[in-house]
């Protein structure tokens, strides 16, 4: 119990920093204070510290990587998203603004996780396989990538609207030009597409080794497949039909909604072989 | 097609009762997708070949061009180090033109990725139409055969050939129970033998997550239970029923019940039912099972005449229940295992396609293809630097601009190609 209490304190601390970060990001747009973005990024780093510590504690407590049950799944995905964002913005500082989408999503996910049961559950033996590790790793990479793609698509739409109105905020003015934002969003969507593909392929290998069927039209796998198709559609429309800018950005936003629904919404409405994603009330 | 597939799949999820994924028209849609994908990939392969081809220049080589610039040894010697430093390789030099490439294999990345998708789709169609999966239960000491009529449940694709059944025997030699730290069952391992013409062809131990592959067929352990020996004798001690019965099971809460309902007593109006407890515990008038192991095996046997219970007794192995002149005897207890047996030729295609697709992605993203053509303008008016890439265009255009500037501004060599 002491371990769970410590984890809850750390998770709530992370939620607090995410809340402050979200506030700074939103304020930077609303009040046109571009230096608030810097504070938002600081808060993101501060949020990552207790989140990492809590997950490490959970890992030690259970003896396995935190992937079982909503409590573990949501917090580890939140960590993946936040880590991916912080890595990406370190690589390209123009990606800092993606925090306006990433931070509230991370805050919400950790919040939902701590509302769920933190009870340790017995894991079926079919889940002890390295294919599952690969499956989960690529799921997290795809999630982080598509979140950033969506954040950039949103930034594109906001900046474009401001440019059309002729009222560009200092923050938006600091961002790269529209073409570059659009291009970065495309790059992250392409990366997410590849990661989603590998996630599905590794999941199929795992299912075949465990049950003799690589595809079962399970709700979560099917919605993940639909998300993958929509990203495939996005890439084809972009490459072959020249979809750029506004249309591509809206499609990137639609696609990320599908991914979030596939990963976290489907277990609410359907039974699935993905037992580790089952919701349980605390 | 991609949009259509996504919409149909989403509809299949929103309305699962329609069973879209099992319909013939969904398989037809997959076939149309395959044709469409193949046609697009063929076109892509032709384009890739044009880029790949050594002699395929970006713009047609004009053999009437003034060749003297690029055939000039000093000139080519001056280009060579610049291009080599940037890891370009010369693939053609002549007729006033030099062609340089980098990451040539990268050209095939997108094609290979799509070929992988074609193989996956083919594999899925093969699975959908030719796959067989069935379920067989085998008690310890029993032999069941991989034949259609031996399966308790079987699904065969419309094009599955009955001759594909291998006919080998499966015998459960022994079931081993692996207990966890807290005494719960951690795994159930079954020692099985595969028999061909009465001879043991293969022996293996299968746990919950393991499979045995034999002659292209995969055998998975899926369930386990108990098989007590039951004997029913008539009023003149004649044997009416005598066999090991594989009990069904159901889990309520954290307890599993093993049972047999409505077993007709031959030539009578009676029916018997049996609830089996491998480790019977009786507490407060309630009977339950402590563990899965056969520590204290016993069964509650009831006999019914219509809806009326005429006899009931708790009996242990070797014990019996007498009713209306008949005797129900419980013998020794064996285990049984249920196996899913799968013959899916499409699966290997799907996985081969996945590897091909991943290889294509690696080529596409890690080996960007670039091709640069440097040529003298017709009638020696100067130099042209042209390029093509399968990667982001803007940085490549910047690279070409730098090359153009570099050649034009190269002080010591300028005269060589401006002539």
């Amino acid at each position: 119990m002491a371990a769970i209490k410590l984890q809850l304190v750390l998770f709530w601390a992370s939620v607090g920093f995410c809340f402050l970060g979200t506030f700074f990001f939103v304020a930077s747009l609303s009040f046109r204070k571009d230096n608030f973005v810097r504070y938002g990024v600081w808060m993101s780093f501060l949020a990552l510290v207790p989140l990492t510590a809590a997950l490490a504690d959970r890992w030690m407590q259970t003896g396995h990587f935190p992937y079982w049950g909503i409590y573990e799944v949501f917090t580890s995905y939140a960590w993946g998203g936040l880590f991916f964002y912080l890595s990406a913005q370190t690589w390209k500082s123009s990606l800092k603004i993606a925090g306006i989408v990433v931070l509230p999503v991370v805050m919400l996910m950790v919040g939902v996780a701590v509302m769920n049961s933190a009870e340790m559950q017995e894991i079926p033996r079919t889940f002890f396989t390295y294919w599952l590790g690969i499956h989960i790793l690529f799921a997290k990479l795809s999630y982080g990538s598509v979140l950033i793609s969506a954040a950039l698509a949103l930034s594109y739409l906001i900046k474009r609207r401001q440019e059309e109105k002729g009222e560009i905020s200092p923050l938006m003015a600091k961002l790269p030009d529209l073409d570059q934002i659009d291009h970065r969003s495309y790059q992250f969507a392409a990366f997410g597409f590849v990661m989603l593909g590998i996630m599905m392929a590794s999941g199929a290998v795992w299912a075949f080794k465990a049950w003799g069927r690589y595809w079962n039209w399970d709700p979560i796998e099917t919605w993940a497949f639909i998300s993958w198709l929509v990203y495939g559609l996005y890439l084809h429309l972009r490459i072959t039909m020249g979809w750029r800018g506004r249309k591509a950005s809206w499609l990137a936003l639609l696609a990320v909604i599908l991914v979030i629904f596939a990963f976290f919404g489907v277990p609410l409405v359907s039974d699935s072989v993905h037992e580790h994603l089952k919701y349980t009330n605390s | 097609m991609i949009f259509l597939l996504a919409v149909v799949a989403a509809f299949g999820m929103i309305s699962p009762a329609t069973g879209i994924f099992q319909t013939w028209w969904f398989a037809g849609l997959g076939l149309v997708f395959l044709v469409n994908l193949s046609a697009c990939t063929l076109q892509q392969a032709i384009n890739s070949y044009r880029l790949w081809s050594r002699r395929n220049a970006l713009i047609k080589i004009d053999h009437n061009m003034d060749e003297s610039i690029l055939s000039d040894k000093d000139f080519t010697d001056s280009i060579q180090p610049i291009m080599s430093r940037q890891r370009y390789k010369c693939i053609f030099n002549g007729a006033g033109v030099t062609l340089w490439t980098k990451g040539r294999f990268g050209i095939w990345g997108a094609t290979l990725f799509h070929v992988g998708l074609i193989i996956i789709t083919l594999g899925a169609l093969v699975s959908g139409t030719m796959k067989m999966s069935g379920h067989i239960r085998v008690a310890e000491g029993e032999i069941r055969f991989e034949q259609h009529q031996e399966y308790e449940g079987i699904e065969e694709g419309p094009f599955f050939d009955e001759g594909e059944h291998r006919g080998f025997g499966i015998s459960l030699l022994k079931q081993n129970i692996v207990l966890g730290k807290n005494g719960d069952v951690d795994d159930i391992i079954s020692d099985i033998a595969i028999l061909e013409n009465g001879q043991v062809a293969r022996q293996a131990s299968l746990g919950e997550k393991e499979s045995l592959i034999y002659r292209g067929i995969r055998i998975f352990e899926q369930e386990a239970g108990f098989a007590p020996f039951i004997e029913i004798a008539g009023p003149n001690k004649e044997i009416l029923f005598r066999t090991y019965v594989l009990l069904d099971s159901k889990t309520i809460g954290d307890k599993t019940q093993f049972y047999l309902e409505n077993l007709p007593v031959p030539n009578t109006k009676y029916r018997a039912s049996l609830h089996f407890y491998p480790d019977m515990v009786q507490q407060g008038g309630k009977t339950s099972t402590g563990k899965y192991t056969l520590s204290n095996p016993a069964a509650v046997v009831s006999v019914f005449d219509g809806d009326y219970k005429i006899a009931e007794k708790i009996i242990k192995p070797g014990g019996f229940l007498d009713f209306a002149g008949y005797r129900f005897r419980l013998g020794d207890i064996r285990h049984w295992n249920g196996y899913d047996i799968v013959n899916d030729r499409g699966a290997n295609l799907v996985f081969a396609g996945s590897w091909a697709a991943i290889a294509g992605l690696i080529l596409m993203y890690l080996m960007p293809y670039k091709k640069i053509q440097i040529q003298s303008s017709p009638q020696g008016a100067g130099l042209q630097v042209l390029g093509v890439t399968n990667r982001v265009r803007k940085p490549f255009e910047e690279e070409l601009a730098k090359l153009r500037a570099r050649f034009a501004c190269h002080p010591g060599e300028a005269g060589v190609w401006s002539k």
Side-chain angles (χ1 to χ4, degrees):
Chain A
M1 279 309 286
I4 289 177
K5 272 186 186 168
L6 173 68
Q7 288 160 25
L8 290 177
V9 168
L10 289 168
F11 283 138
W12 279 117
S14 182
V15 169
F17 286 125
C18 284
F19 175 78
L20 286 172
T22 305
F23 167 79
F24 283 122
F25 279 120
V26 174
S28 68
L29 276 183
S30 308
F31 305 117
R32 305 188 171 218
K33 298 269 187 192
D34 56 322
N35 59 335
F36 275 17
V37 171
R38 201 166 63 236
Y39 303 146
V41 174
W42 288 353
M43 290 301 137
S44 310
F45 274 110
L46 287 174
L48 187 70
V49 175
L51 191 55
T52 309
L55 282 169
D57 186 58
R58 181 68 174 178
W59 194 334
M60 284 191 288
Q61 184 198 2
T62 58
H64 61 76
F65 177 76
Y67 70 90
W68 194 266
I70 290 299
Y71 178 74
E72 293 179 11
V73 168
F74 270 54
T75 48
S76 55
Y77 269 102
W79 185 90
L82 191 56
F83 183 77
F84 198 95
Y85 160 67
L86 288 170
S87 307
Q89 68 85 32
T90 307
W91 170 57
K92 288 275 177 200
S93 62
S94 59
L95 298 174
K96 281 188 171 75
I97 191 64
I100 199 162
V101 169
V102 176
L103 270 239
V105 170
V106 169
M107 179 175 71
L108 203 66
M109 289 181 72
V110 180
V112 170
V114 293
M115 299 292 182
N116 264 263
S117 171
E119 193 185 333
M120 291 201 304
Q121 291 160 2
E122 201 171 326
I123 301 175
R125 287 176 68 87
T126 42
F127 282 75
F128 290 102
T129 157
Y130 59 88
W131 281 107
L132 180 64
I134 296 170
H135 180 62
I136 288 174
L137 172 71
F138 282 95
K140 286 180 179 21
L141 286 172
S142 66
Y143 182 61
S145 183
V146 298
L147 266 187
I148 292 182
S149 168
L152 289 167
L154 187 66
S155 309
Y156 175 91
L157 292 170
I158 294 170
K159 186 171 183 180
R160 179 160 174 170
R161 197 172 167 195
Q162 288 186 356
E163 278 189 1
E164 281 170 358
K165 279 185 175 176
E167 300 169 358
I168 301 176
S169 67
L171 172 66
M172 286 294 155
K174 275 195 170 180
L175 288 182
D177 62 50
L178 284 173
D179 281 352
Q180 267 202 39
I181 300 175
D182 184 45
H183 183 70
R184 288 262 177 262
S185 173
Y186 156 70
Q187 280 181 316
F188 278 98
F191 187 75
F193 173 76
V194 175
M195 298 297 107
L196 274 173
I198 298 176
M199 176 197 79
M200 288 194 298
S202 54
V205 174
W206 166 44
F208 189 67
K209 281 180 172 286
W211 301 296
R213 47 179 189 264
Y214 56 83
W215 193 263
N216 200 34
W217 296 111
D218 173 74
I220 291 180
E221 70 185 18
T222 309
W223 280 108
F225 173 62
I226 294 166
S227 314
W228 185 75
L229 284 177
V230 171
Y231 275 105
L233 185 68
Y234 168 91
L235 296 177
H236 279 88
L237 287 173
R238 198 175 171 101
I239 294 164
T240 59
M241 296 183 73
W243 272 40
R244 298 272 192 284
R246 188 175 279 160
K247 283 194 282 190
S249 299
W250 279 114
L251 194 53
L253 287 175
L254 169 76
V256 83
I257 290 168
L258 274 173
V259 171
I260 292 173
F261 176 68
F263 284 15
F264 311 114
V266 177
L268 276 174
V269 292
S270 303
D271 287 332
S272 165
V273 293
H274 292 76
E275 291 175 56
H276 62 296
L277 290 171
K278 264 184 195 161
Y279 285 83
T280 44
N281 293 321
S282 56
Chain B
M1 270 317 295
I2 298 172
F3 178 71
L4 189 62
L5 261 186
V7 168
V8 170
F11 184 72
M13 281 291 104
I14 293 164
S15 170
T18 52
I20 279 175
F21 305 120
Q22 280 76 42
T23 57
W24 63 266
W25 65 262
F26 186 75
L29 186 66
L31 201 63
V32 174
F33 176 72
L34 182 67
V35 172
N36 185 295
L37 183 63
S38 303
C40 295
T41 306
L42 183 65
Q43 183 60 52
Q44 194 174 41
I46 292 167
N47 292 342
S48 297
Y49 178 74
R50 283 182 183 152
L51 281 174
W52 167 265
S53 171
R54 281 171 178 264
R55 293 196 170 269
N56 215 324
L58 301 178
I59 56 168
K60 200 177 175 188
I61 295 169
D62 179 357
H63 288 272
N64 296 322
M65 278 192 304
D66 183 350
E67 292 183 25
S68 58
I69 302 171
L70 288 173
S71 57
D72 186 313
K73 190 176 177 303
D74 289 342
F75 172 74
T76 46
D77 285 352
S78 68
I79 292 179
Q80 183 74 40
I82 294 169
M83 298 304 283
S84 295
R85 223 175 4 255
Q86 294 179 43
R87 284 178 285 158
Y88 278 94
K89 200 172 153 190
C90 183
I91 55 166
F92 179 76
N93 187 8
V97 174
T98 58
L99 279 172
W100 304 81
T101 60
K102 188 153 82 173
R104 280 182 84 210
F105 288 99
I107 304 168
W108 296 101
T111 308
L112 187 57
F113 173 70
H114 286 96
V115 166
L117 293 186
I118 290 172
I119 298 171
I120 291 172
T121 313
L122 262 175
L125 284 171
V126 169
S127 290
T129 53
M130 297 171 70
K131 181 182 169 182
M132 182 286 295
S133 71
H135 189 75
I136 280 182
R137 287 173 167 189
V138 191
E140 279 172 332
E142 189 187 15
I143 301 172
R144 300 291 292 271
F145 294 92
E146 201 287 291
Q147 288 167 348
H148 184 99
Q149 65 275 15
E150 292 269 305
Y151 284 96
E152 289 177 33
I154 186 165
E155 283 177 21
E156 292 173 342
F159 298 118
F160 177 77
D161 177 7
E162 286 300 321
E164 286 288 308
H165 285 298
R166 306 291 196 260
F168 56 77
I170 304 166
S171 174
L172 174 60
L173 304 174
K174 194 173 185 314
Q175 186 189 91
N176 302 297
I177 295 157
V178 180
L179 297 178
K181 286 176 194 163
N182 53 4
D184 291 339
V185 177
D186 193 34
D187 198 4
I188 294 172
I189 311 279
S190 51
D191 294 339
I192 62 167
I194 302 292
L195 307 166
E196 293 273 16
N197 303 318
Q199 302 291 315
V200 175
R202 177 91 73 88
Q203 268 186 269
S205 295
L206 288 184
E208 194 187 346
K209 61 168 185 169
E210 293 152 347
S211 65
L212 167 68
I213 306 169
Y214 183 72
R215 288 174 63 192
I217 290 187
R218 283 176 179 262
I219 303 168
F220 298 85
E221 182 193 87
Q222 278 307 34
E223 54 173 350
F226 296 96
F229 181 81
I230 292 171
E231 185 182 87
I232 302 175
N236 302 317
K237 296 190 179 172
E238 74 279 20
I239 304 299
L240 301 175
F241 183 87
R242 186 189 168 95
T243 190
Y244 286 92
V245 177
L246 277 59
L247 300 182
D248 289 322
S249 65
K250 62 183 171 193
T251 302
I252 299 170
D254 60 343
K255 298 283 181 198
T256 305
Q257 292 185 359
F258 304 95
Y259 63 94
L260 168 71
E261 302 277 11
N262 290 322
L263 172 72
V265 177
N267 311 324
T268 71
K269 57 185 176 177
Y270 307 119
R271 289 180 175 272
S273 73
L274 176 148
H275 285 83
F276 179 71
Y277 301 87
D279 179 29
M280 185 179 273
V281 177
Q282 286 178 296
Q283 226 171 17
K286 283 191 173 177
T287 308
S288 63
T289 288
K291 295 176 197 155
Y292 178 84
T293 48
L294 290 168
S295 311
N296 182 31
V300 177
V301 178
S302 314
V303 179
F304 295 88
D305 178 358
D307 290 338
Y308 296 100
K309 192 188 288 178
I310 59 166
E312 185 171 81
K313 189 181 175 187
I314 295 175
I315 50 178
K316 294 198 162 203
F320 55 85
L321 163 69
D322 287 333
F323 64 96
Y326 292 83
R327 173 167 284 188
F328 184 109
R329 192 172 76 81
L330 186 68
D332 65 309
I333 312 293
R334 291 187 179 181
H335 296 93
W336 64 263
N337 275 107
Y339 300 97
D340 279 352
I341 297 179
V342 180
N343 182 355
D344 185 0
R345 290 184 168 196
N348 286 339
L349 272 176
V350 168
F351 295 130
S354 301
W355 285 115
I358 289 170
L361 289 172
I362 290 170
L363 285 181
M364 206 154 61
Y365 284 99
L366 299 184
M367 293 186 74
Y369 168 69
K370 291 175 183 175
K371 190 174 194 177
I372 290 177
Q373 179 169 340
I374 302 170
Q375 66 174 46
S376 59
S377 297
Q379 283 77 46
L383 265 183
Q384 281 184 309
V385 178
L386 307 143
V388 65
T389 183
N390 62 350
R391 291 302 295 272
V392 186
R393 196 174 161 156
K394 207 168 176 182
F396 185 59
E397 281 174 352
E398 285 165 10
E399 188 183 338
L400 288 181
K402 275 182 194 167
L403 273 180
R404 285 185 194 116
R406 185 140 195 203
F407 291 146
C409 300
H410 210 288
E413 307 292 337
V416 175
W417 56 79
S418 57
K419 212 177 179 182

